[in-house]
Amino acid sequence: MFPKVVQVNENYLKLKAGYLFPEISKRVNLHSQKNFSSELIKLGIGDVTEPLPRSCVDAMQNALVEMSTNKGFRGYGPEQGYLWLREKIAENEFISKGCQIVPEEIFVSDGSKCDSSNILDILGNDNLIAVTDPVYPVYVDSNVMTGRTGFANDNGSYEGLTYIAINEDNNFKPEIPKEKVDIIYLCFPNNPTGATVSKKELKDWVDYANRNNSLIFFDAAYEAFIQDGNIPHSIYEIEGSKNCAIEFRSFSKNAGFTGVRCAYTVIPKNLSGRNSKGEEINIWSLWNRRQSTKFNGVSYIVQRGAEAVYSNQGKKEVEKLINFYMNNASIMRNKLMQAGFKVFGGLNAPYIWIKVPDQMTSWDFFDYLLEKANVVGTPGSGFGLAGEGYFRLSAFNTLTNVNAAMERIINI
Ligand code: MLT
């Protein structure tokens, strides 16, 4: 008899390798130990580099001082977020753009990465799940961790997941599946490819979902980078979407809150699923219940900072940040094209997706760039099998570093 020991969640043992970004850090650290004198430029993880908008900082400072007084002190806030922030989000992100989203449908949180994983808590394990390939790895790993997949095959694809390949042939736009899937993850502007969808293309997805009683998880964390006025910022710009879509939004990339932590998830009040008896169950209520139990809300100080994004000054500052990173993206696109690379993305997204030179794998190119140019990017294969042969460069860095990195790459 074995002594009784704690059992682990064996689904974690199915996970192929370390999460992509820690794996990159590991290789970069090893490289740095050997080459400590050379200066590394990191265009790998999509983490912002510019300081926080002044209006957000002022708002957070004021909130902190408020909390130091008897009158202004606050303890636990509403798990769903303070109504004043939800109202500002509803007005500025949705109502003003013709989307009928009310504050109660907005759940403020500490990140889209957490929300897009935690949402699985309220959905059954037997749903058929579809992801694009390549894909933001969190969608796949969170399904693996919660037992919604089988094991990975030699290619790293998990049994039980439907992969929709996005590649040069389809302009990195996923094709509507022929078969029925229950849950579909869509991310536009796309991480990692930087691709976008038109309203018409998104409408096709919404129609598919409504026809098949499917649910779309729409990750719009990069919507602020859209430059083209015809590209939808929200799935709720599409008719019929309130019956079939949940949207994830974040202050991380527009207002530089990656280290501050504030995001929100939109769940339409009438969105429903079914229980095993076939009875209709309201999804908004389940998420509300989940958040009330497992989450104590985002801090008052941070929510005041997020609210300032919608002040006149805040809007100007955020626009300046977006323009700054998109200027980086444009420089990178031009320089890389001049250097002979096939370049995608970077027009409405802070990610540039390039084809790696012939005969190299994505990880070969990662090592090559690290070794020869001291530049860190992200191997496309880290986002899935169909990402093999591609490489992602992030436009989040200083102008000096972006220019230097491009010179180094060109001059290898
Ligand atoms: C990325 O590099 O893909 C992003 O940093 C991921 C994230 O926002 O979690």
Side-chain angles (χ1 to χ4, degrees), residues 147-207:
R148 287 172 161 87
T149 71
F151 286 91
N153 62 23
D154 292 343
N155 292 327
S157 304
Y158 288 94
E159 187 200 331
L161 280 188
T162 299
Y163 291 88
I164 309 172
I166 50 176
N167 48 43
E168 284 174 69
D169 295 340
N170 52 29
N171 271 326
F172 299 98
K173 292 170 196 268
E175 278 158 30
I176 309 273
K178 305 258 182 304
E179 69 281 20
K180 173 183 159 49
V181 291
D182 301 308
I183 295 172
I184 307 132
Y185 290 77
L186 294 178
C187 171
F188 289 107
N190 187 253
N191 179 12
T193 66
T196 51
V197 270
S198 67
K199 282 194 181 160
K200 158 83 186 65
E201 287 155 345
L202 200 49
K203 175 86 171 85
D204 290 344
W205 277 103
V206 167
D207 290 347

Side-chain angles (χ1 to χ4, degrees), residues 128-307:
L128 293 171
I129 316 272
V131 292
T132 62
D133 178 12
V135 69
Y136 179 43
V138 171
Y139 309 154
V140 172
D141 286 2
S142 54
N143 274 286
V144 177
M145 289 169 175
T146 54
R148 287 172 161 87
T149 71
F151 286 91
N153 62 23
D154 292 343
N155 292 327
S157 304
Y158 288 94
E159 187 200 331
L161 280 188
T162 299
Y163 291 88
I164 309 172
I166 50 176
N167 48 43
E168 284 174 69
D169 295 340
N170 52 29
N171 271 326
F172 299 98
K173 292 170 196 268
E175 278 158 30
I176 309 273
K178 305 258 182 304
E179 69 281 20
K180 173 183 159 49
V181 291
D182 301 308
I183 295 172
I184 307 132
Y185 290 77
L186 294 178
C187 171
F188 289 107
N190 187 253
N191 179 12
T193 66
T196 51
V197 270
S198 67
K199 282 194 181 160
K200 158 83 186 65
E201 287 155 345
L202 200 49
K203 175 86 171 85
D204 290 344
W205 277 103
V206 167
D207 290 347
Y208 168 87
N210 280 327
R211 253 192 338 268
N212 290 288
N213 293 319
S214 313
L215 179 61
I216 297 175
F217 290 158
F218 192 72
D219 185 345
Y222 298 95
E223 59 75 34
F225 296 87
I226 293 173
Q227 309 289 301
D228 177 339
N230 293 317
I231 295 172
H233 287 244
S234 165
I235 196 164
Y236 302 118
E237 290 177 45
I238 311 300
E239 205 191 322
S241 57
K242 282 194 79 177
N243 298 323
C244 66
I246 289 175
E247 183 163 299
F248 303 103
R249 289 279 195 107
S250 172
F251 293 101
S252 282
K253 312 289 158 107
N254 60 350
F257 272 36
T258 53
V260 176
R261 310 308 308 151
C262 198
Y264 53 96
T265 288
V266 185
I267 307 199
K269 275 213 115 157
N270 292 333
L271 196 64
S272 62
R274 296 203 174 267
N275 65 12
S276 52
K277 293 188 206 138
E279 296 157 341
E280 203 163 309
I281 307 288
N282 183 263
I283 289 186
W284 181 95
S285 306
L286 294 187
W287 184 247
N288 194 42
R289 184 71 176 81
R290 190 256 175 222
Q291 290 299 81
S292 308
T293 301
K294 292 197 177 185
F295 188 55
N296 263 334
V298 176
S299 84
Y300 172 70
I301 298 158
V302 165
Q303 291 192 63
R304 281 294 184 202
E307 183 192 28

Side-chain angles (χ1 to χ4, degrees), residues 19 21 44-47 113 136 138 191 222 253 351 383 392:
Y19 182 57
F21 295 106
I45 189 163
D47 194 3
K113 179 166 158 177
Y136 179 43
V138 171
N191 179 12
Y222 298 95
K253 312 289 158 107
Y351 295 124
F383 297 101
R392 193 191 78 175

